[in-house]
Amino acid sequence: MDGKKGFEKFLIVTTPLLDGVEIQEYLGPVVVRNVRAVNIIRDFFTSFRDIFGGRSASYQEVIDDMQRELFVEMREKATAMGATAVVGLKVDFENIGSKNKSLLMATVQGTAVKI
């Protein structure tokens, strides 16, 4: 976990059930989105990766930052609902935009529960 006070024991899992743990109450869906503009310099250098191949560390950094923010916000939303965990986590990343503008969108969703 990220070490924020109150989140140390908060579970976010991809499975719909927790082995050996009873879900006391299903509180509803939690959906968080994050959309980021990607700067022109990053796009320019990434275009070379498209031609020559290889990993784009700059885009990976953006995606990692987005994912961290999404999980923190998910915990905050679920906790505000009274949840102690989120089950059935799904993470989705999309590239949206036109040929001159690039946006990355990330969505996380799951079900807030009390365990």
Side-chain angles (χ1 to χ4, degrees), residues 32-76:
V32 180
R33 290 180 186 85
N34 188 324
V35 178
R36 294 230 183 137
V38 180
N39 69 43
I40 193 165
I41 295 169
R42 187 171 279 148
D43 278 345
F44 176 74
F45 286 110
T46 299
S47 66
F48 287 109
R49 294 278 184 214
D50 290 343
I51 296 168
F52 300 112
R55 295 172 68 164
S56 172
S58 61
Y59 269 90
Q60 282 185 231
E61 183 179 324
V62 170
I63 289 171
D64 288 346
D65 288 345
M66 289 174 75
Q67 186 170 305
R68 276 190 292 278
E69 290 176 12
L70 288 164
F71 288 163
V72 167
E73 190 174 339
M74 176 173 263
R75 287 183 192 108
E76 290 170 351

Side-chain angles (χ1 to χ4, degrees), residues 65-107:
D65 288 345
M66 289 174 75
Q67 186 170 305
R68 276 190 292 278
E69 290 176 12
L70 288 164
F71 288 163
V72 167
E73 190 174 339
M74 176 173 263
R75 287 183 192 108
E76 290 170 351
K77 279 188 169 186
T79 300
M81 296 169 68
T84 55
V86 171
V87 297
L89 175 72
K90 180 182 175 193
V91 180
D92 187 38
F93 287 92
E94 292 183 48
N95 184 11
I96 55 177
S98 65
K99 67 178 182 177
N100 295 329
K101 296 180 182 175
S102 183
L103 298 171
L104 290 176
M105 180 174 75
T107 305

